[in-house]
Amino acid sequence: MDSSNDKNIETVAKLLKTSQKVLFITGAGISADSGLPTYRGTGGLYADNSTEDGVSIENALSASMFASKPEITWKYLLQIARACIDAQPNAAHLAIAEFLRCHTSSYVLTQNIDGLHGQCPESQLIEIHGNAFNFYCVSCAKSVEADSRTFLQSISTTPSCQYCGGLVRPSVVLFEEALPGAALQRLSNVLQAEPDLVVSIGTSALFPYIIEPVYRAKASGIATVEINPDTTEISSQFDYRIALGAAQAMQVLL
Ligand code: NAD
Ligand code: ZN
């Protein structure tokens, strides 16, 4: 750990002690410490962006592919869900959940669909890309009630609804789809209430709704922190950077 990391850890630990309205923004990197592959970058699931079906992963996981060839989309959804199902929350997920329980005006905005923030109070969790373990029918909208592990194990190509035979899907946001309205509304309320600290953990921060809270905080003079062993395209925008893995950093900080 270099000295600037040490100094930043000390400052950020103090900020976390005195802040009530913290917005944690998390990405695949926070779950890397639970053994889940990230999306991009070294060791990422789709680092070279192609699939064995000859289409990009964005195409395979898109609304138009799901409409025309749902078996292709399901193939990759299953790969992702099966990679996540046995993972356990790590020290970073648990530290954030504990922090949120003690600070009811703090929130976590996650891009992850792995459900590993499940110990956070539900009203303080914004799963902006949905959750890979909730399933519903696209025809009758009924939810699948079976245990998600049993349900995932039962799928060979595409699952159908037990009530109407319609196509079942997980409540994740596919490429080309709009973000869930309720999650967007909650995010908008959180930003309007002005967080007093924004902490970004393990995201390459490529989506506008992930970058915006950071820029808004910066414009209002609110402290911003990035926790990521590597730099990202927006690293230079943060007031403090901690170049450690999520679990180690959060254990030291909280
Ligand atoms: P990303 O893969 O683009 O970026 C991951 C970031 O995490 C990188 O900047 C990397 O340097 C950093 N990182 C790697 N190991 C880390 C560690 N131990 N601690 C902290 N940071 C670490 O991920 P993204 O920004 O979340 O965007 C990817 C998209 O893919 C999102 O839409 C997300 O929904 C989806 N996705 C989700 C999961 C999941 O649910 N676990 C996994 C992969 C991808
Ligand atoms: Zn149905």
Side-chain angles (χ1 to χ4, degrees), residues 137 139-142 161 163-166:
C137 168
S139 302
C140 73
K142 287 204 175 95
C161 174
Y163 304 103
C164 76

Side-chain angles (χ1 to χ4, degrees), residues 179-195:
L179 298 174
L184 272 181
Q185 185 58 54
R186 193 177 282 175
L187 175 59
S188 158
N189 295 344
V190 169
L191 295 182
Q192 256 168 30
E194 288 220 326

Side-chain angles (χ1 to χ4, degrees), residues 75-153:
K75 178 174 168 182
Y76 295 96
L77 286 172
L78 276 177
Q79 276 186 6
I80 292 171
R82 285 176 178 156
C84 296
I85 188 106
D86 288 320
Q88 297 298 321
N90 64 54
H93 296 105
L94 298 178
I96 293 173
E98 175 67 16
F99 187 92
L100 296 197
R101 281 194 285 272
C102 303
H103 299 81
T104 53
S105 300
S106 292
Y107 294 85
V108 57
L109 163 64
T110 190
Q111 299 159 85
N112 296 344
I113 56 172
D114 55 30
L116 291 179
H117 282 299
Q119 299 194 12
C120 292
E122 206 263 315
S123 61
Q124 289 163 266
L125 171 62
I126 305 172
E127 290 181 314
I128 201 80
H129 291 165
N131 187 305
F133 300 108
N134 298 328
F135 306 95
Y136 68 93
C137 168
V138 297
S139 302
C140 73
K142 287 204 175 95
S143 297
V144 170
E145 274 161 26
D147 156 68
S148 47
R149 177 186 299 270
T150 316
F151 179 69
L152 284 167
Q153 273 164 354

Side-chain angles (χ1 to χ4, degrees), residues 26-33 36-41 45 84 111-114 129 201-207 227-232 244-247:
T26 67
I30 194 174
S31 297
D33 287 335
L36 297 187
T38 57
Y39 188 77
R40 304 176 187 86
L45 262 182
C84 296
Q111 299 159 85
N112 296 344
I113 56 172
D114 55 30
H129 291 165
I201 308 175
T203 174
S204 55
L206 293 179
F207 297 108
I227 298 174
N228 195 317
D230 294 327
T231 53
T232 66
L244 290 178

